[in-house]
Amino acid sequence: MSEIRLSFDIKHNDFDRAGAASSNLKNSLKQLGYPPEDIRRVAIASYEAEMNVVVHASDGKMEAIITPEMVDIWVIDKGPGIENIELAMQEGYSTAPDKIRELGFGAGMGLPNIKKNSDFFEIESKVPDGTKVHFIIRRKTGK
Amino acid sequence: MNNLKVEDLKNFLPCKECFITEPNRCVSSICASDLMSEVLLIAQKDGIIVTNLLNIQTIRTAEMVEASAIIFVRGKKPTKEMVELAKKSGISIYVTDKGMFETCGMLYEKGLSMLT
């Protein structure tokens, strides 16, 4: 395996399909023989990032580059962007409406949980252009 | 440490319905919450998710955290689509009329807790 690139579209408010991109990524890593613990970290981080787009943003995409050493993931949306990233990174801080909370999300744990499950994490956002979340999960166990 | 398997749940939990996909899968711990954001943060691999929240994202969340089973409390029945998605991911589903507190109590008595 040298390098595999995967790209998925994410639709705002499409709760029926939400999670499909992360599920596909997870299954690809399984087929490539990635260790289960690393796959779990990728799945949790990518699902959180995917849900952020579904809940908060207009449409976006997820791009993943898989190498034998790491999984490098970019989740990019088309706005409206985050006004205060420092606040958004605080556990418990959320701007999600009640409708989203009724679906079990919007508890303000998403971005901190992506960071927790990643070996590298960065976020860039510009109002109203959009947000880029970039995170890397390195393969921890045998290749 | 417990030796519980997914199929053992039906022996002590009053179930209205169950959809067992991997009966011999080991069960590690309980994660009881209606907040999927919280489940993503604290659930352990092979854990059981006990929840009131019935929607397709409950199944997706269970898939991401590698849960072994979901118990829907207070008689909430999953749709066919939810059952199919769970089956694809090797997740069993139980439906009980018991509430969250009583369900967790029954699991706790069998040696399961929040963290292992």
Side-chain angles (χ1 to χ4, degrees):
Chain A
M1 177 173 70
S2 52
E3 181 181 297
I4 293 169
R5 284 172 181 262
L6 300 172
S7 182
F8 308 97
D9 289 329
I10 307 169
K11 299 274 174 213
H12 174 58
N13 256 334
D14 185 354
F15 286 95
D16 291 334
R17 292 276 306 153
S22 303
S23 182
N24 282 333
L25 175 58
K26 185 175 185 248
N27 288 333
S28 299
L29 291 170
K30 264 188 194 172
Q31 283 169 10
L32 291 166
Y34 246 74
E37 264 316 300
D38 296 334
I39 294 177
R40 189 172 185 268
R41 291 195 302 137
V42 170
I44 292 172
S46 66
Y47 182 55
E48 292 275 23
E50 186 180 355
M51 287 307 292
N52 273 346
V53 176
V54 175
V55 168
H56 295 288
S58 50
D59 299 346
K61 63 180 174 178
M62 180 193 291
E63 289 185 350
I65 303 165
I66 306 167
T67 70
E69 290 80 29
M70 66 174 85
V71 184
D72 191 346
I73 301 169
W74 295 80
V75 178
I76 300 163
D77 68 56
K78 296 173 185 165
I82 301 169
E83 276 187 28
N84 187 333
I85 290 178
E86 207 177 315
L87 263 182
M89 287 302 298
Q90 275 181 24
E91 286 187 13
Y93 179 81
S94 175
T95 56
D98 288 347
K99 186 186 143 214
I100 301 303
R101 292 172 200 258
E102 282 164 19
L103 292 167
F105 289 89
M109 311 299 266
L111 289 173
N113 203 18
I114 297 171
K115 193 174 178 184
K116 183 189 159 204
N117 281 285
S118 307
D119 298 301
F120 170 85
F121 172 86
E122 67 179 357
I123 178 167
E124 273 175 44
S125 192
K126 196 177 171 193
V127 178
D129 301 343
T131 303
K132 282 183 195 172
V133 180
H134 177 209
F135 50 99
I136 293 172
I137 287 99
R138 295 186 205 286
R139 190 172 181 151
K140 292 260 162 65
T141 37
K143 286 165 197 171
Chain B
M1 190 64 193
N2 72 83
N3 298 309
L4 275 186
K5 292 190 166 43
V6 164
E7 69 173 348
D8 297 335
L9 300 182
K10 67 175 187 301
N11 299 330
F12 62 90
L13 184 74
C15 291
K16 204 164 163 178
E17 278 185 39
C18 62
F19 308 90
I20 301 174
T21 55
E22 290 182 13
N24 291 320
R25 189 166 172 184
C26 287
V27 168
S28 65
S29 58
I30 312 171
C31 180
S33 182
D34 295 338
L35 207 51
M36 293 303 109
S37 306
E38 188 173 70
V39 172
L40 285 164
L41 197 66
I42 60 173
Q44 297 186 341
K45 187 176 185 299
D46 298 320
I48 300 174
I49 297 171
V50 184
T51 188
N52 281 284
L53 189 78
L54 184 77
N55 64 40
I56 201 81
Q57 295 311 318
T58 310
I59 316 291
R60 285 284 188 209
T61 302
E63 178 190 352
M64 302 309 158
V65 299
E66 304 263 345
S68 56
I70 303 169
I71 301 174
F72 288 112
V73 297
R74 299 227 181 271
K76 297 178 182 71
K77 287 186 188 176
T79 61
K80 199 178 158 193
E81 188 194 9
M82 291 177 201
V83 173
E84 280 306 310
L85 187 61
K87 198 174 166 185
K88 270 189 203 164
S89 304
I91 300 161
S92 299
I93 294 181
Y94 286 84
V95 179
T96 180
D97 279 333
K98 300 289 179 190
M100 174 97 79
F101 182 79
E102 211 176 337
T103 303
C104 288
M106 288 174 182
L107 295 168
Y108 187 77
E109 277 188 338
K110 295 291 171 187
L112 285 174
S113 60
M114 194 77 180
L115 300 168
T116 50

